[in-house]
């Protein structure tokens, strides 16, 4: 139980950091569609962290509070931009990009993020795996895949990815 409590607290901490990242993006320019997309991805990841933290420790008030703050930020951004943030066209665009440029590791990585936001975790793992195959030292990709493995409850694969990241000398976030 103690390990779950620590993980829940780490998830809330990471969600809070992502919320701050989104706030910095929001301060820059809400008219820039790329900035808004980046913000969407950051906030989507943060909400997933908060929801997972709440699932691990339903008594942790900061998880529920963080989730509420994140949803409020999304609502305020939607009002400010007039956007509905439908991920279907974003996914379609990225699928076309990886079809047209199959060697573009960043495109596979971006598609992986969108798939994860749509809760298609297995497909997200496949895309991030392709990104890693193309560019093994792609910054953060091994840790992202490790996190996806955690969501799939595949601890062994997550640990293997983290070990590989360490072997390559890549930074590993303390939350993982």
């Amino acid at each position: 139980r103690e390990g779950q409590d620590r993980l829940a607290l780490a998830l809330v901490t990471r969600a809070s950091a992502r919320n701050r990242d989104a706030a910095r993006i929001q301060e820059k320019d809400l008219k820039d569609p790329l900035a808004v997309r980046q913000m969407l991805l950051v906030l989507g990841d943060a909400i997933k962290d908060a929801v997972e933290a709440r699932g691990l420790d339903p008594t942790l008030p900061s998880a529920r509070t963080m989730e509420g703050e994140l949803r409020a930020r999304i609502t305020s951004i939607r009002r400010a931009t007039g956007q509905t943030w439908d991920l279907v066209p974003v996914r379609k665009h990225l699928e076309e990009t990886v079809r047209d440029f199959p060697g573009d590791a960043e495109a596979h990585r971006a598609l992986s993020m969108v798939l994860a936001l749509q809760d298609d975790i297995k497909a997200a793992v496949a895309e991030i795996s392709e990104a890693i195959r193309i560019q093994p030292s792609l910054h953060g990709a091994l840790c992202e895949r490790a996190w996806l493995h955690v969501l799939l409850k595949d601890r062994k694969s997550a640990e293997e990815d983290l070990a590989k990241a360490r072997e390559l000398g890549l930074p590993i976030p303390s939350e993982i």
Side-chain angles (χ1 to χ4, degrees):
R1 181 74 193 149
E2 183 182 325
Q4 281 187 328
D5 291 346
R6 282 197 320 255
L7 179 57
L9 190 55
L11 288 167
V12 170
T13 302
R14 184 166 70 177
S16 178
R18 287 177 168 166
N19 190 24
R20 286 190 303 274
D21 290 345
R24 281 192 289 276
I25 296 168
Q26 186 177 1
E27 289 170 5
K28 288 181 185 176
D29 187 6
L30 287 179
K31 293 179 182 171
D32 178 1
L34 291 177
V36 172
R37 279 190 192 147
Q38 181 183 1
M39 197 174 357
L40 169 64
L41 293 173
V42 169
L43 289 170
D45 286 343
I47 286 175
K48 282 184 179 285
D49 288 346
V51 168
E52 185 171 349
R54 195 165 37 94
L56 288 170
D57 185 357
T59 65
L60 187 65
S62 56
R64 185 169 297 282
T65 302
M66 178 53 58
E67 184 181 349
E69 287 178 24
L70 293 164
R71 292 191 187 282
R73 180 175 301 284
I74 287 173
T75 300
S76 74
I77 293 167
R78 281 182 173 168
R79 284 187 188 131
T81 62
Q83 294 187 9
T84 60
W85 289 12
D86 181 6
L87 288 176
V88 172
V90 176
R91 179 177 176 168
K92 182 179 177 189
H93 170 76
L94 289 169
E95 287 172 338
E96 290 171 359
T97 301
V98 299
R99 185 191 66 232
D100 295 342
F101 304 97
D104 185 340
E106 285 292 348
H108 286 281
R109 181 185 195 178
L111 179 55
S112 172
M113 287 187 252
V114 170
L115 291 166
L117 286 171
Q118 293 180 320
D119 290 324
D120 192 350
I121 306 302
K122 289 182 180 180
V125 168
E127 287 301 326
I128 197 72
S129 296
E130 181 61 12
I132 292 166
R133 185 194 66 74
I134 294 166
Q135 190 177 341
S137 63
L138 183 63
H139 179 74
L142 283 165
C143 293
E144 290 169 17
R145 186 170 69 181
W147 187 248
L148 292 170
H149 285 306
V150 167
L151 294 176
L152 291 172
K153 307 214 182 310
D154 182 357
R155 185 178 184 99
K156 181 180 181 225
S157 294
E159 289 172 354
E160 289 172 359
D161 280 343
L162 294 175
K164 181 67 174 173
R166 282 187 197 94
E167 187 180 300
L168 292 171
L170 302 174
I172 299 173
S174 59
E175 303 90 34
I176 296 183

